[in-house]
């Protein structure tokens, strides 16, 4: 059977949005009807004309939540294993290739001629259809009545194509579906017309129909030959999440699960899939944005570990230069991933750089071929193409240009040797929203010039003059100069850097052409953001972080242009130093055999004096107060600091304020996400709320993974001492459980969040209800404490019984009361339907009540303890630092 998708389904988020728009528009039209005849507490159905979709309601909030069934992902057991590997070949055909019935048949012939055991075919909408669909939405929300005529044109185009291409039952089946879809679209567009507005989700839902129809037509065309074929609505499979303006990132793990589930129902040897469209994690339709169909092919190729991904176009391959500008341009037989990436960045019509990422990680070649000239072999893009010869000409693969640029030159003797000057300059450019195409910098930052589009240079220049007004007036900066009318010429070749004489040839040719070179940047796009790292405390968290760095280093270099070099590791007794980077595959052995006596001052001096790497960061993985006391000095030296150590931010208030003042005034960074929630985004969430103008009213949470585990398991007939012993045995507690039960660690997290929220509190201002019985506080050892703890089980059992009788549970929480400027840590009781009562294991949960999130708090929940997640949180801060220093984000 063919892939089932209920095309008339309209997603619930859209329904709610449209209903709101209609109500706000003041119309009395009743075009959307809700049928809640089913169980209202658990779910119901939403009817829109002939369209129907399921929804689930959240019991406590009654908010509509999309159900997985909305995109027909059944919850059946997986019966058929999804094969992966070289048996798969992936083909992608764009709108031009799918432009007419004759071309669709040619596509079918190409697919059938492929001898691969299994084939996945990704298709775009027919030529011009995507633009037609966007135009439908634009007309409807502009209340232009002609949208109905435009919809009829879309219908006629596809009906005519189907009648030319198909016959019999296949034609009848397709036309029936087409009629149904157009009827549903007519209803939706009518609602958009009434509302006068369409959200991005609505627009994506409408536009995606072009791919749905082309995929169905091609699958029928292939089946005419007798070959088994299914078609796939990739909204059932591809899950993406927003990662920036007009950009999404694939969720590979969830997508792989959904692909396996889909394949278990329809294990065809040929699958025709829709390009461009996908779904969010909440099953809301979305798209892959620019060059989305190519991206779809790369993602799916990665999911099945395909032998090859072939992108079919209307050109013979990738040219060595723009043939409109260089008549002698030739088709390249091979390119490396990096070369293709560089060419794309500098304007060549190859592939969008993000298309390369999914296949590059699995070493899957991409081949660019011409559907209209099948005899042409095309261009293969792969990891390291074989070089036919080693002469000078061969190492330069291609040329690409970007025109209509302006060069901005910031110059001054006062810039030399001042850390963070370039960071300040590009922060200004970022705030303006300008796109920096190229950077060239003199030594010691004496002068920095960079290229931006001419249309953006006026705003950049004005912003730089405002930001550096005092430096210009004092003479530390001599000028901010703008040079208009520039172009970038990019010379691309993987072997250029290792081949002498390339630059001489290039500049000789430019000189003969009477071209003046204003700035040079070698390997700009391929160069790496290198970060020299010093690890303090290679214990449980630090050691785990080092292992994570070891496992991920190659991927970061390859995919994100980030080069993390650990040049120092120090413990309490020994330290290991390197000028260029420690081999992390054997860091433990090296630390044991080649280490020298630990000396923190010498360790920091080693970092500070290293001139090989301009960017340095110290990562404090200890819980040591004395180490934390040095952060201020390190930041003053221009060394960034990252830490899970709570001591600095929960220590004396005057030191904390001094540290934060320096951080804000300097160009060095101080990141400490892992101090509160290990790997959970607690600090970044709080900052995001504050920076966007929200007002914090209250923060309440279960901040201790240890105490979360204890009270999640303290139920039934279990004794408190037994649960504590179990937690200790499992490694959840400190060696002495009193360190956890005292509540001091929770208090430190509360004070950190309170200070982040603007409260000026000392740790001593936080009242803490200790769980350690007063009589046991003076026990001389942990063993003695554990032996005597059972004598208090009766008291704990009584508290639990009282809570259970009231339908409540016990939870140990920390609270920041921003309204009343105070905080506290105590044992509280919560009703069983409260989110705090729903935890399991050692999960943490934090609820932010703010001006925006007043009725229903913003909740962050997940593992809040453990070496892996804590080290992962520190690792994320390292990548955040690399991003702020210029790495792709």
């Amino acid at each position: 059977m063919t892939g089932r998708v209920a095309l008339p389904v309209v997603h619930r988020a859209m329904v709610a949005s449209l209903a709101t728009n209609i109500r706000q528009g003041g119309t009395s039209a009743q075009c959307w009807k809700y049928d809640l005849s089913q169980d209202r507490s658990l779910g119901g159905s939403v009817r829109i004309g002939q369209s129907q979709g399921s929804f689930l309601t959240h019991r406590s909030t009654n908010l509509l939540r999309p159900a997985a069934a909305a995109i027909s992902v059944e919850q059946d057991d997986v019966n058929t294993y999804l094969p992966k590997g070289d048996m798969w070949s992936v083909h992608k055909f764009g709108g031009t290739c799918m432009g007419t019935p004759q071309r669709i048949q040619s596509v079918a012939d190409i697919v059938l001629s492929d001898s691969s055991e299994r084939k996945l075919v990704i298709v775009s909408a027919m030529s011009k259809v995507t633009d037609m669909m966007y135009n439908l939405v634009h007309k409807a929300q502009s209340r232009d009545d002609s949208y109905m005529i435009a919809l009829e044109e879309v219908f006629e185009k596809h009906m005519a194509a189907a009648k030319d291409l198909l016959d019999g039952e296949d034609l009848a089946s397709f036309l029936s579906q087409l009629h149904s879809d157009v009827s549903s679209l007519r209803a939706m567009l009518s609602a958009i017309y009434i509302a006068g507005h369409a959200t991005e989700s609505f627009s994506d839902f409408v536009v995606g129909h072009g791919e749905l129809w082309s995929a169905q037509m091609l699958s029928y065309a292939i089946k005419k030959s007798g070959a088994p074929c299914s078609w796939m609505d990739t909204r059932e499979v591809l899950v993406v999440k927003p990662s920036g303006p007009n950009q999404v990132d694939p969720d590979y793990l969830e997508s792989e699960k959904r692909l396996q589930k889909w394949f278990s129902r329809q294990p065809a040897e040929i699958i025709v899939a829709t390009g461009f469209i996908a779904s969010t994690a909440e099953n809301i339709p979305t798209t892959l944005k620019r060059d989305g169909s190519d991206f779809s092919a790369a993602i799916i190729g990665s999911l099945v570990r395909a032998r090859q991904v072939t992108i079919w176009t209307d050109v013979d391959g990738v040219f060595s230069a723009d043939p409109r500008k260089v008549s002698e341009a030739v088709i390249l037989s091979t390119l490396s991933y990096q070369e293709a990436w560089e060419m794309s960045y500098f304007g060549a019509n190859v592939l969008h750089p993000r298309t390369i990422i999914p296949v590059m990680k699995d070493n899957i070649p991409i081949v660019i071929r011409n559907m209209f000239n099948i005899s042409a072999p095309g261009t293969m893009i792969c990891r390291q193409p074989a070089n036919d010869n080693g002469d000078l000409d061969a190492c330069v693969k291609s040329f690409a240009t970007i025109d209509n640029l302006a060069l901005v030159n910031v110059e001054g003797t006062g810039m030399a040797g001042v850390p963070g000057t370039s960071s300040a300059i590009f922060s200004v450019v970022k705030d303006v929203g300008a796109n920096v195409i190229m950077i060239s910098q003199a030594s010691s930052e004496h002068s920095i010039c960079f290229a931006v589009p001419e249309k953006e240079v006026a705003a950049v220049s004005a912003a730089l003059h405002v930001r550096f007004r005092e430096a210009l007036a004092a003479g530390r900066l001599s000028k901010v100069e703008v040079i208009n009318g520039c172009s970038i010429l990019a010379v691309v070749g993987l072997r250029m850097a290792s081949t002498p004489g390339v630059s001489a040839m290039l500049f000789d040719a430019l000189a003969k052409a009477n071209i003046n070179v204003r700035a040079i940047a070698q390997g700009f796009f391929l160069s790496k953001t290198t970060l020299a790292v010093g690890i303090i405390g290679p214990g449980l968290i630090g050691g785990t972080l080092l292992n994570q760095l070891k496992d991920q280093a190659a991927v970061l270099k390859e995919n994100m242009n980030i080069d993390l070099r650990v040049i120092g590791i120090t413990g309490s007794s020994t330290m290991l130093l390197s000028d260029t980077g420690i081999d992390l595959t054997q860091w433990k052995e090296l630390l044991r055999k080649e280490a020298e006596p630990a000396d923190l001052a010498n360790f920091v001096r080693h970092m500070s004096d290293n001139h090989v790497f301009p960017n340095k960061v110290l990562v404090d993985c200890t819980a040591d107060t004395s180490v934390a006391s040095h952060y201020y000095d390190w930041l003053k030296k221009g060394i960034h600091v990252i830490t899970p150590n709570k001591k600095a931010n929960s220590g004396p208030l005057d030191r904390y304020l001094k540290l934060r003042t320096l951080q804000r005034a300097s160009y060095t960074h101080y990141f400490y996400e892992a101090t509160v929630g290990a790997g959970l985004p607690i600090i970044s969430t709080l900052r995001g709320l504050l920076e966007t103008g929200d007002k914090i009213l209250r923060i309440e949470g279960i901040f201790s993974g240890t105490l979360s585990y204890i009270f999640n398991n303290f139920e039934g007939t279990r004794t408190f001492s037994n649960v504590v012993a179990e937690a200790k045995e499992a490694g959840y507690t400190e060696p002495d459980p009193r360190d956890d039960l005292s509540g001091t660690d929770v208090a430190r997290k509360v004070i950190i969040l309170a200070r982040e929220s603007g409260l000026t509190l000392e740790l001593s201002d936080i009242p803490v209800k200790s769980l350690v019985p007063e009589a046991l506080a003076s026990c001389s050892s942990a063993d003695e404490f554990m032996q005597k703890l059972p004598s208090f089980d009766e008291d704990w059992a009584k508290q639990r019984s009282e809570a259970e009788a009231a339908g409540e549970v016990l939870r140990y929480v920390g609270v920041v009361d921003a309204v009343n400027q105070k905080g506290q840590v105590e044992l509280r009781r919560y009703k069983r339907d409260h989110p705090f009562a729903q935890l399991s294991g050692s999960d943490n949960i934090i609820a932010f009540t703010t001006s925006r999130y007043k009725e229903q708090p913003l909740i962050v929940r997940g593992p809040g303890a453990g070496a892996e997640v804590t080290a992962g949180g520190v690792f994320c801060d390292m990548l955040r630092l690399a991003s702020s220093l210029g790495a792709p984000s």
Side-chain angles (χ1 to χ4, degrees):
M1 63 179 286
T2 58
R4 181 178 75 78
V5 59
L7 288 177
V9 166
V10 178
H11 291 266
R12 275 68 49 206
M14 297 181 175
V15 175
S17 178
L18 266 181
T20 301
N21 288 333
I22 294 170
R23 287 197 300 272
Q24 292 175 347
T27 178
S28 60
Q30 300 297 315
C31 60
W32 302 95
K33 297 183 179 179
Y34 295 75
D35 177 6
L36 301 180
S37 58
Q38 300 179 39
D39 184 343
R40 293 171 182 266
S41 67
L42 293 178
S45 64
V46 179
R47 298 188 183 274
I48 308 171
Q50 299 300 313
S51 303
Q52 178 172 335
S54 64
F55 70 89
L56 298 176
T57 61
H58 189 280
R59 294 184 184 218
S60 61
T61 63
N62 203 35
L63 292 176
L64 290 177
R65 299 253 179 118
I71 57 167
S72 304
V73 180
E74 269 77 23
Q75 301 302 313
D76 299 336
D77 292 334
V78 175
N79 297 317
T80 305
Y81 175 74
L82 172 67
K84 297 178 182 178
D86 288 352
M87 78 281 290
W88 287 101
S89 66
V90 175
H91 297 265
K92 180 266 175 178
F93 296 89
T96 302
C97 299
M98 299 287 291
T100 67
Q102 295 74 27
R103 290 180 181 177
I104 295 175
Q105 185 58 55
S106 296
V107 168
D109 295 339
I110 290 173
V111 172
L112 291 167
S113 68
D114 181 353
S115 60
S116 301
E117 181 181 343
R118 295 183 179 275
K119 286 155 279 194
L120 252 163
V121 185
I122 316 300
V123 295
S124 300
M126 293 180 71
S127 180
K128 308 299 183 185
V129 167
T130 299
D131 289 339
M132 293 171 75
M133 302 302 283
Y134 275 122
N135 189 44
L136 285 176
V137 178
H138 175 73
K139 285 178 178 289
Q141 69 182 0
S142 300
R143 291 177 172 158
D144 181 347
D145 290 326
S146 65
Y147 80 88
M148 297 296 287
I149 298 173
L151 179 59
E152 194 65 22
E153 291 172 355
V154 171
F155 173 77
E156 292 289 342
K157 180 182 179 75
H158 288 85
M159 183 174 67
K163 287 182 176 179
D164 262 4
L165 183 67
L166 309 174
D167 52 33
E169 290 184 4
D170 289 346
L171 174 60
S173 178
F174 176 80
L175 290 181
S176 174
Q177 185 66 68
L178 180 65
H179 275 284
S180 176
D181 294 345
V182 171
S183 176
S184 296
L185 286 173
R186 188 176 293 113
M188 174 170 279
L189 291 167
S190 176
I192 292 173
Y193 178 94
I194 294 170
H197 172 70
T199 65
E200 183 179 4
S201 295
F202 278 75
S203 179
D204 288 346
F205 179 81
V206 172
V207 171
H209 280 75
E211 278 72 17
L212 295 170
W213 295 326
S214 65
Q216 291 174 72
M217 283 193 287
L218 178 59
S219 70
Y220 283 127
I222 292 173
K223 284 199 294 184
K224 277 198 309 182
S225 69
C229 177
S230 293
W231 78 275
M232 175 197 293
D233 178 353
T234 48
R235 294 176 304 183
E236 294 185 40
V237 172
L238 294 188
V239 179
V240 299
K241 51 192 174 184
S243 58
N246 204 34
Q247 186 169 320
V248 295
D249 284 340
D251 183 339
Y252 288 100
L253 185 60
E254 182 61 24
S255 297
E256 190 166 9
K257 290 178 183 176
R258 294 193 181 192
L259 179 58
Q260 171 66 73
K261 193 169 293 184
W262 187 95
F263 189 85
S264 73
R265 290 183 276 116
Q266 303 182 74
E269 293 179 359
I270 302 176
I271 299 172
V272 178
T274 54
F276 184 55
I277 59 177
S279 288
T280 67
E282 297 75 28
N283 299 323
I284 304 299
T286 187
T287 69
L288 298 180
K289 316 307 177 187
R290 178 185 170 192
D291 294 313
S293 293
D294 287 354
F295 198 21
S296 299
I299 296 168
I300 291 177
S302 173
L303 292 177
V304 300
R305 310 296 190 270
R307 173 179 56 82
Q308 179 175 292
V309 174
T310 304
I311 307 289
W312 293 90
T313 67
D314 55 359
V315 294
D316 286 347
V318 180
F319 282 91
S320 59
D322 188 341
R324 295 169 298 181
K325 298 178 180 178
V326 182
S327 59
E328 296 84 6
V330 298
I331 295 293
L332 299 169
S333 60
T334 59
L335 282 171
S336 70
Y337 294 127
Q338 290 87 351
E339 288 166 338
W341 203 338
E342 184 99 19
M343 290 176 67
S344 298
Y345 181 79
F346 284 107
N349 186 21
V350 185
L351 293 169
H352 192 280
R354 67 178 180 158
T355 302
I356 300 170
I357 295 174
V359 293
M360 184 166 63
K361 68 185 180 71
D362 293 313
N363 199 19
I364 300 170
I366 297 179
V367 179
I368 311 295
R369 292 192 64 186
N370 189 350
M371 174 182 158
F372 307 102
N373 183 16
I374 296 180
S375 62
T379 301
M380 175 176 283
I381 301 170
C382 53
R383 184 172 298 279
Q384 184 76 39
N387 224 351
D388 294 334
N389 52 62
D391 62 28
L392 197 58
D393 294 333
C395 71
V396 176
K397 284 288 186 73
S398 66
F399 297 86
T401 60
I402 304 178
D403 301 322
N404 303 314
L405 299 175
L407 201 64
V408 180
N409 183 40
V410 183
E411 186 173 310
T413 55
M415 294 168 58
V418 179
T421 302
S422 59
S423 175
I425 292 171
F426 294 116
S427 291
V428 172
V429 178
K430 178 183 178 182
D431 291 342
V432 171
N435 181 27
V436 176
I437 309 297
M438 189 193 86
I439 303 171
S440 183
Q441 178 177 318
S443 60
S444 302
E445 298 181 331
H446 173 265
S447 71
I448 299 172
C449 66
F450 54 95
V452 297
E454 278 189 314
K455 62 183 180 182
E456 298 174 353
V457 74
V460 171
S461 177
L464 287 171
H465 276 91
V466 170
R467 169 63 178 81
F468 294 102
R469 180 173 56 245
E470 293 181 5
L472 287 164
R476 294 193 301 275
L477 290 187
S478 57
K479 62 181 177 181
V480 176
E481 179 186 23
V482 172
I483 305 169
N484 286 297
C486 297
S487 295
I488 287 179
L489 170 65
V491 185
V492 179
L494 196 62
R495 294 179 56 246
M496 286 173 54
S498 59
T499 306
V502 176
S503 297
M505 288 183 63
L506 171 64
F507 293 119
D508 181 57
L510 292 173
K512 290 177 179 177
N514 199 30
I515 294 173
N516 183 32
V517 177
R518 288 283 194 165
I520 304 167
Q522 181 169 340
F524 166 63
F525 189 67
L526 295 180
S527 64
K528 298 184 171 51
T529 300
T530 304
L531 195 58
V533 181
I535 303 290
I536 303 173
L540 185 58
I541 294 174
T544 303
L545 175 62
L546 285 164
N547 290 332
Q548 290 179 355
L549 291 171
K550 173 196 68 178
D551 294 339
Q552 198 66 10
V555 176
L556 292 174
K557 283 185 182 181
E558 191 75 34
N559 294 352
M560 298 181 66
N561 296 320
I562 297 174
D563 188 359
L564 298 177
R565 302 283 190 93
V566 177
I567 65 171
I569 303 171
T570 182
S572 58
S573 57
T574 59
M575 66 181 182
L576 179 66
L577 307 177
S578 170
D579 289 330
T580 56
I582 296 167
D583 180 1
L584 295 185
T585 62
Q586 49 181 339
W587 70 267
K588 288 184 180 179
E589 183 180 355
L590 292 172
L591 188 60
R592 186 172 61 253
K593 292 182 177 179
E594 301 182 13
E596 56 189 90
D599 184 314
L600 188 58
N602 286 341
F603 185 81
V604 174
R605 190 176 302 112
H606 167 74
M607 295 287 298
S608 181
D609 292 348
N610 185 296
H611 299 296
V612 177
F613 308 113
N615 303 308
K616 301 143 191 172
V617 58
L618 282 166
V619 181
D620 174 21
C621 294
T622 73
D624 194 297
T625 302
S626 64
V627 175
S629 68
H630 293 288
Y631 293 174
Y632 183 87
D633 294 331
W634 297 344
L635 291 169
K636 284 196 72 174
K637 293 177 183 290
I639 302 174
H640 309 287
V641 176
I642 293 173
T643 186
N645 186 345
K646 292 179 278 291
K647 298 301 173 62
N649 286 11
S650 63
L653 179 62
D654 58 340
R655 291 186 185 178
Y656 167 80
L657 294 175
K658 183 181 177 183
L659 184 63
R660 291 302 306 275
T661 300
L662 174 64
Q663 176 200 0
R664 294 187 183 103
S666 68
Y667 302 119
T668 44
H669 297 275
Y670 174 39
F671 292 133
Y672 42 86
E673 182 69 75
T675 57
V676 174
L680 296 179
I682 306 301
I683 299 292
S684 55
T685 297
L686 176 56
R687 283 192 172 180
L689 293 170
L690 293 170
E691 289 171 359
T692 57
D694 205 352
K695 182 179 180 181
I696 303 299
L697 304 178
R698 183 183 183 86
I699 304 172
E700 184 173 358
I702 297 174
F703 294 99
S704 167
T706 301
L707 297 177
S708 176
Y709 179 87
I710 288 173
F711 285 103
N712 288 339
N713 288 277
F714 181 46
E715 56 186 8
T717 59
R718 300 195 65 185
T719 64
F720 187 75
S721 62
N722 175 262
V723 175
V724 173
E726 179 182 89
K728 185 175 186 295
E729 181 68 22
Y732 286 116
T733 73
E734 295 293 333
D736 188 336
R738 286 176 294 181
D739 293 340
D740 300 291
L741 297 171
S742 69
T744 302
D745 186 69
V746 176
R748 289 191 181 277
K749 295 177 180 180
V750 167
I751 201 68
I752 290 172
L753 292 177
R755 290 173 176 178
E756 288 288 315
S757 303
L759 278 62
T760 53
L761 298 176
E762 294 281 7
L763 185 60
S764 58
D765 295 329
I766 306 296
V768 179
K769 174 62 176 176
S770 174
L771 301 181
V772 178
E774 189 173 342
L776 303 186
S778 59
C779 289
S780 60
S781 68
D783 289 340
E784 182 186 354
F785 170 76
M786 291 303 298
Q787 289 171 5
K788 295 181 177 180
L789 186 59
S791 62
F792 293 87
D793 283 341
E794 189 175 331
D795 294 338
W796 279 109
K798 181 181 179 182
Q799 291 190 62
R800 179 179 61 195
S801 297
E802 291 174 352
E804 289 176 346
E808 297 173 335
V809 297
L810 299 173
R811 294 293 184 262
Y812 195 73
V813 299
V815 179
V816 176
D817 184 347
V819 176
N820 296 306
Q821 303 278 299
K822 65 181 183 179
Q824 61 191 96
V825 177
E826 62 183 0
L827 186 67
R828 289 189 172 183
R829 288 164 39 172
Y830 293 90
K831 292 293 184 182
R832 287 195 173 275
D833 61 354
H834 192 280
F836 285 17
Q838 308 300 316
L839 292 186
S840 61
S842 60
D843 278 6
N844 285 4
I845 185 169
I846 295 88
F848 295 89
T849 303
T850 72
S851 296
R852 294 178 189 151
Y853 297 92
K854 186 179 293 184
E855 301 302 322
Q856 182 177 358
L858 172 64
I859 289 179
V860 178
R861 172 183 171 175
E868 286 290 340
V869 293
T870 303
V874 175
F875 201 163
C876 284
D877 273 347
M878 295 174 71
L879 297 182
R880 189 176 293 122
L881 173 60
S883 178
S884 70
L885 297 173
S889 58

